[in-house]
């Protein structure tokens, strides 16, 4: 491995720096360590911070397998602490139009997914990073990035300078790294509003551990509702309709009123997190800077609506691919050879992100249908569950196409 070319005066020169200790940055750091590359993570937040909200819950088995590859046993650890449900049901105006119970996987095989709040996933990743020898430096908010053929200089908001040969930008949706290297986000915003609520499990559970999707739930004036279990509770998404007041429906009284209508008694008292969302559908025009020294991963590079669970589940393969590229670039004997793996990373992961953005877009279009799709949903609901094809379409369409992208598998709840 070559050494850092430009030593900074305050001794903060490193070979590889990851910006951001979110789940994708921590995964990138673990993957780099798996390739024997020393790595430092610079995080804006303070040590021991409590991140607000739970965000991702659904981790696909293929993501668990990647995590096992870069930190043996990590996927199994998440799977053990998460929950899995075999039964999925879909309702239209309160009537069941789809139900399926899958067989449990054989002993030793991961189920298709595990469901665990992101804050807990991050805690496991961070503990592994410490054991793997990742240097974690807190209170380092990156404000400036300059990269050229010689390397990368990062400047924090307090003026500290760090230099590195390669930088992984994993600083999330408002990525400063992305903006500083001139990568533009391309795509759009969906106009629809969603209120997303997590509730803790009650002492004597009455909700089944099943995923339920309701088209036109009769108890909430025909709004769509999704209920997804996770370890310790349930995620409930309410899809607002035109004219709704997102803040009102997300206020303590607003949440209580509609939660009481869609969940059994007791759960509305156990709200642990409430948030309102309009979902962005954006992909960076390039996943690396022009000098191919800074690689963008996770939400620094792409933002998708969560239907289909493509965010973290594609951030993890981004992170692994970035580590593979950097390990190869560090071994290269000249700049031209070092650029090649970074080019390959940028092309492959951008192509995967475009696929995921379009797939999440199809899910959104189904959830906020125009007149034609709305009529198709009504017609399918009238035939389901007896018509198996109509029934399966009603079940699967809210998550977008499954299929396999050449660069990765895509995911669904
Ligand atoms: C409601 C909801 C549900 C979701 N459900 C799922 C799901 O089930 N499955 C799934 O796969 N995905 C899901 N996602 C998406 C998932 O949450 C994201 O893809 C994931 O958080 C992205 O991780 P990240 O590490 O890229 O970014 P982040 O989690 O945002 O982490 C970025 C890190 O960088 C730090 N940082 C920011 N700026 C700087 C700076 N200037 N300098 C230094 N550090 C900085 C931040 O403090 C943070 O620690 C969901 C998202 C939402 C909103």
């Amino acid at each position: 491995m070559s050494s850092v070319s430009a030593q900074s005066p305050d001794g903060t020169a490193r070979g590889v720096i990851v910006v951001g200790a979110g789940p994708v940055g921590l995964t990138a750091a673990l993957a780099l360590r798996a390739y024997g590359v020393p790595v430092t993570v610079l995080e804006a937040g303070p040590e021991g911070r409590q991140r607000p909200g739970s965000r991702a819950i659904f981790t696909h088995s293929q993501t668990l397998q990647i995590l096992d590859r870069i930190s043996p046993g990590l996927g199994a650890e998440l799977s053990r602490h998460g929950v899995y449900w075999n039964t999925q049901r879909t309702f239209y105006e309160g009537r069941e139009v789809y139900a399926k119970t899958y067989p449990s996987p054989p002993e030793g095989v991961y189920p298709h997914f595990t469901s665990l709040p992101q804050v807990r996933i991050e805690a496991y990743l961070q503990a592994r990073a410490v054991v793997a020898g990742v240097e974690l430096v807190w209170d380092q908010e990156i404000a400036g990035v300059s990269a050229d053929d010689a390397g990368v200089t990062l400047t924090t908001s307090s003026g500290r300078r760090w230099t590195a040969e390669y930088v992984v930008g994993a600083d999330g949706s408002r990525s400063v790294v992305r903006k500083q290297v001139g990568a533009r986000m391309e795509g759009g915003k969906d106009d629809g509003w969603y209120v997303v609520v997590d509730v803790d499990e009650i002492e004597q559970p009455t909700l089944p551990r099943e995923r339920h999707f309701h088209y036109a739930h009769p108890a909430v004036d025909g709004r769509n509702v999704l209920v997804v279990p996770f370890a310790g509770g349930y995620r409930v998404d309410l899809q607002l309709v035109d004219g709704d007041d997102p803040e009102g429906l997300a206020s303590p009284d607003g949440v209580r009123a509609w939660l009481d209508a869609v969940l059994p008694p007791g759960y509305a008292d156990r709200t642990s997190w409430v948030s309102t969302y309009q979902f962005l559908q954006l992909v960076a025009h390039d996943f690396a800077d022009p000098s191919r020294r800074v690689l963008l991963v996770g939400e620094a590079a792409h933002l998708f609506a969560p239907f289909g669970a493509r965010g973290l589940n594609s951030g993890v393969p981004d992170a692994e691919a970035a580590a593979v590229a950097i390990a190869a670039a560090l071994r290269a004997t000249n700049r031209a050879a070092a650029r090649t793996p970074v080019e390959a990373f940028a092309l492959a992961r951008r192509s995967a992100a475009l696929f995921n953005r379009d797939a999440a877009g199809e899910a959104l279009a189904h959830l906020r249908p125009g007149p034609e799709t709305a009529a198709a949903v009504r017609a399918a609901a009238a035939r389901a569950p007896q018509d198996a094809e109509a029934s399966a379409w009603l079940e699967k369409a809210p998550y977008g196409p499954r299929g396999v992208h050449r660069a990765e598998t895509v995911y669904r709840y």
Side-chain angles (χ1 to χ4, degrees):
M1 192 187 311
S2 52
S3 63
V4 177
S5 47
Q7 290 289 318
S8 59
D10 55 1
T12 49
R14 298 290 188 275
V16 181
I17 289 176
V18 174
V19 180
V24 178
L26 291 169
T27 302
L30 277 172
L32 283 156
R33 292 301 301 130
Y35 284 97
V37 177
V39 56
T40 297
V41 177
L42 303 181
E43 165 57 46
E47 187 165 12
R49 68 188 172 150
Q50 286 288 320
R51 293 192 81 192
S54 64
R55 303 172 74 197
I57 49 174
F58 183 97
T59 308
H60 192 273
S61 60
Q62 208 174 356
T63 303
L64 300 177
Q65 283 158 12
I66 295 176
L67 295 174
D68 273 341
R69 203 151 58 217
I70 62 175
S71 181
L74 175 54
E77 190 172 24
L78 297 188
S79 181
R80 203 167 51 248
H81 289 98
V83 298
Y84 168 68
W85 58 91
N86 307 36
T87 300
Q88 304 180 167
R89 298 182 196 278
T90 299
F91 302 83
Y92 185 87
E93 294 181 341
R95 182 174 61 84
E96 191 171 283
V97 291
Y98 177 94
K100 182 152 185 174
T101 298
Y102 294 89
S104 290
E107 188 65 28
V109 173
Y110 286 141
H112 292 313
F113 60 84
T114 191
S115 188
L116 184 67
Q118 184 167 323
V119 282
R120 292 187 58 195
I121 298 172
E122 289 176 24
Y124 292 116
L125 285 167
Q126 192 178 315
R128 293 274 177 151
V130 170
V131 171
V134 173
E135 182 187 27
L136 282 159
V137 191
W138 305 92
D139 301 305
Q140 303 294 313
E141 185 191 18
I142 300 306
V145 181
S146 85
D148 58 27
D149 256 4
V152 190
T153 301
L154 303 172
T155 312
T156 68
S157 48
S158 62
R160 188 172 181 188
R161 267 167 28 103
W162 295 81
T163 59
E165 287 195 75
Y166 289 93
V167 164
V168 178
D171 51 338
S173 58
R174 300 197 172 124
S175 174
V176 168
V177 175
R178 178 184 70 232
K179 288 173 197 147
Q180 287 281 304
V181 301
R184 299 181 309 276
M185 285 303 230
E186 295 174 342
K189 182 172 79 172
D190 183 70
D191 289 338
W193 283 93
Y194 296 79
V195 180
V196 182
V197 175
D198 284 354
V199 292
D200 291 340
E201 186 57 282
I202 60 176
E203 262 157 44
Q204 285 177 341
T206 45
L207 259 177
R209 190 176 284 176
E210 299 177 350
R211 198 271 285 125
H212 289 182
F213 179 71
H214 293 262
Y215 292 92
H217 198 308
V220 283
D221 297 328
R223 297 178 183 89
N224 293 344
V225 177
L226 174 67
V227 182
V228 184
F230 60 79
Y234 296 83
R235 164 79 43 87
V236 191
D237 285 20
L238 178 74
Q239 186 190 339
L240 307 196
V241 296
D242 291 345
D244 274 347
D245 165 24
E247 293 315 315
L249 286 161
S251 69
D253 287 346
V255 169
R256 170 173 291 278
W258 67 259
L259 263 189
D260 257 338
V262 299
L263 298 184
Y267 285 97
D269 299 327
R270 304 297 305 270
T271 301
S272 57
W273 179 58
V274 179
S275 194
T276 53
Y277 285 97
Q278 267 186 314
F279 293 117
L280 299 167
Q281 290 273 88
L282 301 174
V283 174
H285 90 279
D286 196 346
F287 277 33
D289 74 304
S291 70
R292 287 357 206 176
R293 291 274 187 185
V294 180
L295 292 74
L296 300 174
V297 295
E299 287 201 341
H302 49 72
L303 281 164
F304 315 128
F307 305 103
R310 296 180 163 82
L312 182 54
N313 281 304
S314 70
V316 167
D318 290 346
E320 189 190 36
V324 169
I326 290 172
L330 287 167
R331 284 194 305 271
T333 50
N334 59 62
R335 274 306 293 151
R339 288 176 68 99
T340 304
V342 181
E343 292 287 357
F345 154 83
L347 283 173
R349 295 315 304 162
R350 182 164 188 276
S351 150
L354 290 172
F355 177 87
N356 280 324
R357 184 187 67 187
D358 293 347
E362 279 189 44
L364 276 176
H366 182 84
L367 289 167
R368 292 178 40 76
E372 219 171 282
T373 308
V377 168
R378 260 195 315 277
R383 297 199 305 274
Q386 288 77 12
D387 178 333
E389 204 179 319
S391 177
W393 180 70
L394 288 168
E395 153 70 15
K396 292 179 195 335
Y399 314 100
R402 295 186 77 177
V404 177
H405 182 267
R406 64 187 165 79
E408 68 171 23
T409 303
V410 292
Y411 313 103
R412 60 190 291 279
Y413 282 114

